[in-house]
Amino acid sequence: MERKIRVLVGKPGLDGHDRGALVIAQALRDEGMEVVYTGLRQTPAQIVSAAIQEDVDCIGLSCLSGAHNELFPEVVRLLREQQADDILVVGGGVIPNEDIPYLESQGIAKIFTPGSPTREIAGFIRERVKPKQTRFVEPPKKIVHIGIAVNKIETALPFYCGQLGLPLLGQEEVASEQVKVAFLGIGDTRLELLEPLGPDSPIASFLAKRGEGIHHIALEVDDLEQRLATLREGGVRLIHETPKEGAHQALIAFLHPKQANGVLFELCQYPQQSKEETTDE
Ligand code: ZN
């Protein structure tokens, strides 16, 4: 379920006809968008402040009065002034063809002349707004660890420590998960060898189903709670709906591997910056 695209339809200036604007508003609603209509005779400042308040992705301006060359660029200028110029601006109405290059040079993304099919307008908005919906997601900072399911840590260590030469930073038993973990340092990341402590351990069922191998990849993120909410809104299936406490005072949550081509991802948020490597001291 994607977030619906929100559009504000505004009529700047003095003309008194909004039938065209209302038709567009309804057509965009029929295309699955949420549409706010500001009504007639709005100033550019009123339109911009409504757009910011309503958190819209796009402003559709309609003007029949002939003042589009002043009013449309003024809306773009005010958006820029309020650092809201990620809002897409499109225009329509009675606009002579020779004015279009000027308006587009002023930051109006596209001018739709009368008779433009509403499908085309909706398609343009959808295409241009889409990247914005994912832009506010910060990428994860790094891989904090890779979890590897093993039958026995003891028999795995000679390869990882002896042959590969990775330092063993510590071992820990996590009773709640029935798992024993060996932490191996590699750069500022770690490998974690995961051994089941009982038949009810999630690692035991993983081993039974798939045998030894990579179990999960853990990514460090900021603000885990917000990120889970965003993922949920985006239709991503979560194993943990809210953060739970993990090792090293981290908050963690797992995503369902179905989302990620069969890879189980763990998201970790640490109290300060990326300090996991120092927590074993
Ligand atoms: Zn982990």
Side-chain angles (χ1 to χ4, degrees):
M1 237 187 339
E2 264 177 52
R3 173 184 183 267
K4 279 191 174 180
I5 292 176
R6 292 173 62 78
V7 182
L8 180 134
V9 173
K11 280 199 63 76
L14 298 175
D15 68 79
H17 301 279
D18 60 1
R19 212 171 65 86
L22 289 171
V23 168
I24 292 290
Q26 189 52 51
L28 295 180
R29 279 189 198 109
D30 293 343
E31 290 279 340
M33 302 183 186
E34 280 174 24
V35 181
V36 185
Y37 176 51
T38 59
L40 287 166
R41 298 193 187 89
Q42 298 283 301
T43 64
Q46 285 170 321
I47 288 171
V48 165
S49 104
I52 291 171
Q53 238 166 60
E54 297 280 350
D55 188 27
V56 300
D57 306 291
C58 172
I59 298 177
L61 297 171
S62 161
C63 183
L64 307 174
S65 70
H68 47 267
N69 280 348
E70 292 79 53
L71 296 168
F72 288 9
E74 179 64 3
V75 168
V76 174
R77 193 190 67 77
L78 289 167
L79 284 172
R80 222 169 262 154
E81 198 176 276
Q82 311 209 27
Q83 272 130 39
D85 51 342
D86 55 335
I87 297 177
L88 179 76
V89 180
V90 298
V94 180
I95 292 167
N97 277 334
E98 61 264 31
D99 288 349
I100 293 177
Y102 169 74
L103 291 170
E104 292 184 346
S105 78
Q106 294 301 298
I108 290 91
K110 197 166 173 66
I111 298 294
F112 294 96
T113 47
S116 302
T118 49
R119 275 229 97 95
E120 185 190 318
I121 301 175
F124 180 83
I125 293 174
R126 206 172 281 126
E127 200 184 302
R128 292 292 293 267
V129 162
K130 213 173 190 179
K132 188 193 152 199
Q133 292 185 311
T134 51
R135 206 186 307 144
F136 63 84
V137 177
E138 281 276 308
K141 296 171 165 183
K142 66 171 196 180
I143 292 172
V144 264
H145 61 259
I146 295 171
I148 299 171
V150 300
N151 292 321
K152 270 235 142 308
I153 284 177
E154 213 183 294
T155 53
L157 285 181
F159 169 73
Y160 285 95
C161 298
Q163 316 280 358
L164 278 185
L166 299 177
L168 177 63
L169 302 174
Q171 298 199 53
E172 196 177 306
E173 292 195 0
V174 186
S176 61
E177 301 286 317
Q178 291 208 50
V179 173
K180 185 175 170 190
V181 188
F183 303 100
L184 306 168
I186 175 160
D188 62 356
T189 298
R190 297 187 322 206
L191 298 185
E192 295 189 357
L193 304 181
L194 309 166
E195 174 191 324
L197 289 177
D200 298 334
S201 162
I203 298 303
S205 49
F206 179 89
L207 286 170
K209 243 189 271 169
R210 297 173 60 170
E212 292 186 302
I214 292 182
H215 177 260
H216 70 274
I217 297 176
L219 306 176
E220 183 177 356
V221 298
D222 281 329
D223 201 354
L224 181 55
E225 192 152 3
Q226 176 58 47
R227 185 175 291 258
L228 290 177
T230 308
L231 288 167
R232 200 182 306 115
E233 271 168 38
V236 174
R237 261 171 80 193
L238 310 174
I239 291 178
H240 301 113
E241 291 288 326
T242 51
K244 63 170 206 164
E245 203 147 323
H248 306 123
Q249 301 163 314
L251 291 172
I252 65 159
F254 280 87
L255 310 184
H256 198 283
K258 252 212 159 115
Q259 312 300 328
N261 311 85
V263 178
L264 177 60
F265 279 105
E266 175 185 10
L267 303 182
C268 307
Q269 181 194 346
Y270 292 92
Q272 283 144 20
Q273 312 102 312
S274 168
K275 288 294 176 222
E276 187 178 12
E277 61 275 13
T278 66
T279 51
D280 290 299
E281 293 166 3

